[in-house]
Amino acid sequence: MKKLINYIAILSLALASCKKESPLNADMDNFNIDTYKNGQIDEWLQKEYLSPFNIEVLYRWDRYQLALNKDLVPPLERNVLPALETVKSIWLSPYLDIAGKEFIKPYAPKQIVLIGSAEYNNDGTITLGTADAGRRINLFIINSFQKSNSANVEQMMHTIHHEFGHILHQNSPIPEDFPRISPEYAANWTANVNTANEAKRLGFVSRYARSNDNEDFVEMIAFLLVEGQDWFDAYVNTAGELGKPRLRQKEQMVVDYFRTAYNINFRALQAEVKAAIDRETGRTTKFAANMARNTYSKMVITKTDENQSATFTAAYTSAAAAVKTASTALTLADQFEFRFGMLVGKPIATLVMTVKNGSTNEEWFFNYKVTVVGDKVTFVPDNTITGVETDKGTKYRPQLKPLLDIIEQASIAEFLSPQNLTKGGFKGETNTSNYFYGSLIR
């Protein structure tokens, strides 16, 4: 014990002798300083974001701005301007054109933070963007961005329109009835049972939309704006009896919400976003591509349409005369239609001829598989497709042959004009004088 006391005494003396009363003169301002001068990027961001809209873009790495329990990397400087130019063109400018600065200034986020990588989650998913308290948007995977890659552009734009949708509903809540349309929300949306097809069947626009009503709402906004109406109509047309009306109801609620909450014409905004994406990526809307993904429910063709070729009109007249010769009670109508659908993921069509038989009208059916290769479309007769009665069509095929020969030829599918996407037509690949057009119905 005596030895221990001596040790303690010695230690106390040592500590006392080390004590200094004079102040420390170290200047901590000289340590851990990140110095930089504003360059081209900063000047552009000042001009295009900060000065006009009071939006600060943070691209210099500050680890404490982000979740510390995630492995993240800084953005590549060479990707900053291309990414922000695209964001401005496809997100900010359309809202500015349709809603004006008086909308942008109070509702646009005050900060946009750029992160080079994605944020990886424990459930195997990745985070592409977040909206914090209606004041900041974090944009991830900047290092993978390529302005020339349309898929890259659409992915990033989907993210920012999705996150901005959150800011909008944080300021003005989503309609009360919206969550009741598809009540089958699932917090564990990544579960195997929540397949893409199951989400569609229930009326959700994506698997992630099933996670909760807010995500459902902003996913609708993002898909309608970025993937666009053609994509959405094709998706709806394959959603089944339960999903189709639900998706249409949600679509109308989104349109109404923008009008009532923010006095924004959503259809006009949609058109501006589409035009911006087309400009930035060179993306074009193709009639054949829309057919391949089942964008349209039907197409109505009228014999007397001024856009029909003389060959088509003559063949139609010849077919009508042959039908009348076969039976004087039969009169072929001057209008027919295609009804489109999908079978095992492939496009199909039913040609419906309306015929007056005495005092009653009847329909003659012809079933087709639709092959689409680039812009080339061919209606291939296929009587193995069930569900449609084809007896009358088969019986009178010889009389209708002049018309069917034009319909069944290998054709180039095209819109009437780049300005008129509501009319589509088929022009013979070999004989370009054989063509016809019809009104497209979604």
Side-chain angles (χ1 to χ4, degrees):
M1 173 64 79
K2 183 177 179 181
K3 188 179 290 186
L4 176 61
I5 292 172
N6 287 338
Y7 284 147
I8 292 173
I10 293 169
L11 180 61
S12 298
L13 288 171
L15 290 174
S17 65
C18 291
K19 184 177 181 181
K20 294 183 179 181
E21 298 294 337
S22 58
L24 293 174
N25 294 321
D27 183 1
M28 298 306 294
D29 289 338
N30 293 323
F31 294 90
N32 298 322
I33 293 179
D34 289 327
T35 60
Y36 61 86
K37 293 182 179 179
N38 284 345
Q40 178 188 0
I41 294 176
D42 305 282
E43 291 171 1
W44 188 88
L45 293 175
Q46 174 79 32
K47 177 184 175 183
E48 302 295 336
Y49 279 84
L50 189 57
S51 293
F53 306 114
N54 197 29
I55 299 173
E56 179 185 25
V57 178
L58 303 178
Y59 70 93
R60 290 189 174 86
W61 195 236
D62 183 350
R63 193 62 183 84
Y64 296 101
Q65 293 278 351
L66 305 161
L68 296 177
N69 63 336
K70 301 289 185 179
D71 291 328
L72 302 168
V73 301
L76 295 170
E77 279 200 9
R78 67 173 180 266
N79 283 6
V80 171
L81 278 183
L84 269 298
E85 286 169 349
T86 306
V87 167
K88 183 174 186 292
S89 174
I90 300 176
W91 166 63
L92 195 54
S93 292
Y95 272 102
L96 183 62
D97 290 342
I98 300 303
K101 271 192 175 183
E102 62 275 11
F103 169 82
I104 292 292
K105 286 193 172 181
Y107 295 116
K110 298 309 166 194
Q111 286 185 330
I112 297 176
V113 180
L114 304 184
I115 303 99
S117 63
E119 184 178 273
Y120 293 86
N121 305 311
N122 294 333
D123 59 3
T125 62
I126 63 172
T127 297
L128 300 177
T130 56
D132 295 343
R135 308 305 289 169
R136 185 171 93 175
I137 288 179
N138 298 322
L139 281 180
F140 296 82
I141 62 168
I142 295 298
N143 293 352
S144 301
F145 181 76
Q146 292 179 313
K147 199 171 182 178
S148 60
N149 186 321
S150 60
N152 255 186
V153 171
E154 287 188 16
Q155 182 184 54
M156 177 172 284
M157 291 306 99
H158 185 104
T159 299
I160 197 161
H161 278 286
H162 174 109
E163 298 306 332
F164 188 56
H166 279 307
I167 289 177
L168 294 181
H169 79 68
Q170 287 163 6
N171 282 279
S172 182
I174 68 175
E176 288 185 6
D177 290 339
F178 186 86
R180 301 188 186 106
I181 298 173
S182 296
E184 300 90 351
Y185 292 106
N188 185 19
W189 66 271
T190 60
N192 291 336
V193 293
N194 183 35
T195 63
N197 282 336
E198 177 63 6
K200 182 193 291 189
R201 185 187 71 82
L202 295 172
F204 294 97
V205 77
S206 69
R207 293 178 69 209
Y208 184 49
R210 265 193 93 179
S211 57
N212 61 63
D213 55 348
N214 287 331
E215 299 299 344
D216 188 10
F217 191 73
V218 299
E219 277 287 85
M220 284 290 300
I221 293 172
F223 273 104
L224 282 165
L225 289 176
V226 178
E227 279 74 6
Q229 195 65 43
D230 288 340
W231 180 94
F232 185 76
D233 288 339
Y235 186 88
V236 170
N237 287 339
T238 57
E241 293 183 3
L242 179 63
K244 185 173 182 177
R246 287 181 170 189
L247 286 162
R248 288 301 184 196
Q249 192 175 353
K250 290 179 182 181
E251 177 188 14
Q252 190 58 51
M253 279 201 178
V254 167
V255 173
D256 292 344
Y257 170 84
F258 271 75
R259 185 186 69 254
T260 57
Y262 295 105
N263 194 30
I264 291 176
N265 182 331
F266 186 81
R267 295 306 187 192
L269 178 65
Q270 197 177 26
E272 287 291 326
V273 172
K274 178 187 181 302
I277 293 175
D278 291 349
R279 282 195 308 271
E280 292 291 323
T281 66
R283 184 185 72 175
T284 57
T285 302
K286 296 283 191 177
F287 179 31
N290 281 354
M291 286 193 64
R293 60 188 180 185
N294 201 33
T295 299
Y296 311 106
S297 61
K298 65 172 63 175
M299 177 181 182
V300 179
I301 300 96
T302 304
K303 174 187 173 183
T304 55
D305 189 314
E306 63 180 7
N307 298 298
Q308 313 302 20
S309 68
T311 309
F312 173 80
T313 303
Y316 207 135
T317 301
S318 176
V323 168
K324 177 64 73 174
T325 299
S327 173
T328 57
L330 300 177
T331 303
L332 184 65
D334 284 348
Q335 181 175 288
F336 66 88
E337 68 183 36
F338 280 114
R339 297 173 186 171
F340 300 116
M342 297 288 276
L343 183 64
V344 197
K346 302 292 184 182
I348 60 173
T350 298
L351 171 63
V352 184
M353 294 280 190
T354 302
V355 180
K356 188 172 184 180
N357 188 352
S359 61
T360 63
N361 287 332
E362 56 189 35
E363 293 180 332
W364 298 353
F365 300 101
F366 302 84
N367 287 334
Y368 297 96
K369 288 181 180 177
V370 183
T371 64
V372 181
V373 180
D375 287 333
K376 187 171 84 170
V377 172
T378 308
F379 293 95
V380 181
D382 189 344
N383 289 329
T384 66
I385 299 173
T386 60
V388 176
E389 173 57 54
T390 59
D391 287 352
K392 286 289 183 69
T394 302
K395 179 179 179 180
Y396 290 99
R397 173 173 271 275
Q399 286 74 25
L400 296 169
K401 186 177 184 303
L403 184 57
L404 294 177
D405 283 347
I406 294 177
I407 291 171
E408 295 168 3
Q409 67 182 337
S411 301
I412 301 301
E414 59 185 14
F415 290 111
L416 183 61
S417 72
Q419 293 76 36
N420 188 347
L421 306 186
T422 62
K423 266 196 169 181
F426 303 97
K427 180 178 290 188
E429 182 184 33
T430 303
N431 189 346
T432 57
S433 64
N434 291 347
Y435 58 85
F436 62 95
Y437 288 89
S439 298
L440 300 168
I441 300 170
R442 295 173 182 271

